């Protein structure tokens, strides 16, 4: 069974993120679900962004690194939106990663904003809505297309869903899309089962 480290989005470790983790783990996989905000749940993405600035990005990265260091190296790194950026960084920089599940965000792997090259043999799956202002309309979908083309069709997949919602995988928020999330979970679990 796979072992997953899932990072929450800018509104914190919500009940919807917990539900997503439960759905991913339902097939017998282990899901670790850290709370990088120490219980704070910002009411909006904007308030979450302000919290990140207040805590400090370096501090949050250090928290994520410590959590990952306490787990086995061959993880599937996963994250929702802001958490996807953390998951992608760990998948690209932490030796032993098996895959990344990137929900509603994707960082570039080339150019000035890139963390670095994608590691050989690490699978990736990216999910997002086509008109999501933070994914489909802000360049993340283009970064995802490039990443998947680099990884190749055997280990890289991009799934774009109709709609314009951000945080559509969080069942505790008004932006939730149950039908799209069911597909996200099915496709993610298919990857997890293949990696086994």
């Amino acid at each position: 069974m796979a072992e997953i480290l899932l990072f929450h989005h800018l509104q914190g470790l919500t009940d919807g993120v917990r539900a997503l983790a439960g759905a991913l783990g339902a097939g017998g996989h282990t899901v670790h679900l850290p709370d990088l905000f120490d219980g704070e749940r910002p009411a909006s993405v904007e308030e979450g962004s302000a919290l990140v600035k207040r805590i400090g990005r370096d501090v949050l990265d250090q928290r994520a690194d410590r959590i990952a260091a306490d787990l086995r190296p061959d993880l599937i790194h996963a994250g929702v939106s802001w958490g996807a950026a953390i998951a992608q960084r760990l998948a690209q920089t932490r030796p032993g990663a098996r895959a990344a599940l990137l929900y509603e965000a994707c960082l570039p792997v080339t150019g000035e904003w890139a963390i670095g090259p994608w590691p050989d043999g690490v699978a990736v799956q990216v999910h997002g809505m086509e008109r999501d202002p933070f994914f489909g309309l802000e360049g993340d979908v283009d970064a995802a297309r490039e990443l998947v083309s680099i990884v190749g069709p055997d280990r890289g997949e991009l799934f774009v869903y109709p709609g314009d919602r951000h945080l559509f995988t969080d069942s505790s928020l008004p932006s939730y899309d149950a039908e799209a999330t069911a597909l996200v979970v099915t496709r993610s679990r298919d990857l997890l089962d293949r990696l086994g």
Side-chain angles (χ1 to χ4, degrees), residues 5-9 17 33-34 36 64 67 77-80 83-84 86-87 90:
L5 178 57
L6 174 64
F7 292 100
H8 59 75
H9 51 68
V17 174
L33 194 58
L36 297 182
I67 291 160
H77 295 281
V80 182
I86 295 171
L90 289 170

Side-chain angles (χ1 to χ4, degrees), residues 10-11 42-53 134:
L10 281 172
Q11 290 187 245
S44 67
V45 169
E46 294 75 21
E47 288 182 29
S49 184
L51 177 62
V52 167
K53 287 179 184 171
F134 299 103

